């Protein structure tokens, strides 16, 4: 989605910048908080009580947003031996299937994470500064949903590519 340059995709570009900015802010916060904790502990024998759980949740948010960004840029973990052996149409068909499967897996994870957050709402307590755990854990269903939507978009894009390759005349063939 990041390679689309048309104005119709402007919302995606805006969301991509927002996502990148948020991830950068989270990373900087994590680094500054961890560094601050080290300085406070080593120089003043003091620490901020809520900093460690805050840092743990920053790691969660950073990991989930990083996974969403990796998916956005096509840099997620994937097996790429088989596609190299297939012709362009076969690669496109395989991409449709793997993207649909990945979206389905993410949809299952969305459902599971919604259940997890619901349980935390009902039974969980605060994580730090009296902030309920379920609030900071909302990143789980949100990120998995974002990743699932991206895989669905990739599946549609791959299906269009497969369709175009099928309908285009092969070398030496006349167009119908």
């Amino acid at each position: 989605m990041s390679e689309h340059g048309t104005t119709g995709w402007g919302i995606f570009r805006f969301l991509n910048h927002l996502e990148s900015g948020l991830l950068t802010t989270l990373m900087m916060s994590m680094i500054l908080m961890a560094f601050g904790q080290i300085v406070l502990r080593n120089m003043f024998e003091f620490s901020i009580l809520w900093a460690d759980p805050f840092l743990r949740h920053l790691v969660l948010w950073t990991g989930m947003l990083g996974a969403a960004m990796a998916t956005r840029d096509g840099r997620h973990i994937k097996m790429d031996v088989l596609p190299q052996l297939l012709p362009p149409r076969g690669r496109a068909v395989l991409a449709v299937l793997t993207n649909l499967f990945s979206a389905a897996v993410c949809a299952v994870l969305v459902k599971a994470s919604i259940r997890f957050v619901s349980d935390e709402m009902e039974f969980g307590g605060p994580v730090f500064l009296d902030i309920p755990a379920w609030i900071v854990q909302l990143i789980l269903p949100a990120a998995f949903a974002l990743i699932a939507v991206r895989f669905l978009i990739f599946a549609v894009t791959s299906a269009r590519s497969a369709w175009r390759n099928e309908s285009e005349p092969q070398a030496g063939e006349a167009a119908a």
Side-chain angles (χ1 to χ4, degrees):
M1 288 186 306
S2 60
E3 71 273 359
H4 296 292
T6 62
T7 56
W9 293 94
I11 187 71
F12 287 119
R13 281 197 309 270
F14 171 76
L15 291 174
N16 291 347
H17 288 300
L18 182 67
E19 186 178 35
S20 297
L22 180 58
L23 187 61
T24 301
T25 302
L26 290 173
M27 289 291 295
M28 291 302 297
S29 299
M30 201 165 49
I31 291 167
L32 290 173
M33 180 62 75
F35 179 73
Q37 280 290 86
I38 291 168
V39 169
L40 286 173
R41 285 181 183 153
N42 290 332
M43 297 183 93
F44 303 104
E45 296 181 13
F46 169 79
S47 68
I48 301 169
L49 294 177
W50 53 267
D52 291 337
F54 177 71
L55 283 168
R56 280 193 296 276
H57 283 85
L58 280 180
V59 169
L60 174 68
W61 276 67
T62 302
M64 295 305 294
L65 281 175
M69 285 180 63
T71 303
R72 175 189 79 192
D73 298 336
R75 301 175 97 183
H76 50 81
I77 297 172
K78 57 186 170 187
M79 302 295 285
D80 63 353
V81 174
L82 183 58
Q84 301 302 320
L85 303 173
L86 296 173
R89 183 167 181 256
R91 277 194 296 263
V93 169
L94 182 63
V96 170
L97 296 174
T98 57
N99 284 317
L100 287 174
F101 178 76
S102 298
V105 168
C106 287
V108 169
L109 291 170
V110 167
K111 184 177 179 184
S113 58
I114 288 172
R115 173 72 185 247
F116 175 71
V117 170
S118 295
D119 288 347
E120 282 294 324
M121 285 176 76
E122 191 171 343
F123 304 111
V127 254
F128 55 86
L129 298 176
D130 290 328
I131 297 172
W134 68 269
I135 290 176
V136 294
Q137 294 165 350
L138 283 173
I139 189 63
L140 295 168
F144 284 127
L146 179 59
I147 294 168
V149 166
R150 285 184 170 151
F151 277 125
L152 285 174
I153 290 170
F154 293 155
V156 169
T157 304
S158 298
R160 290 158 113 190
S161 177
W163 178 259
R164 269 189 253 121
N165 286 338
E166 180 182 87
S167 61
E168 292 176 357
Q170 299 298 316
E173 292 180 348

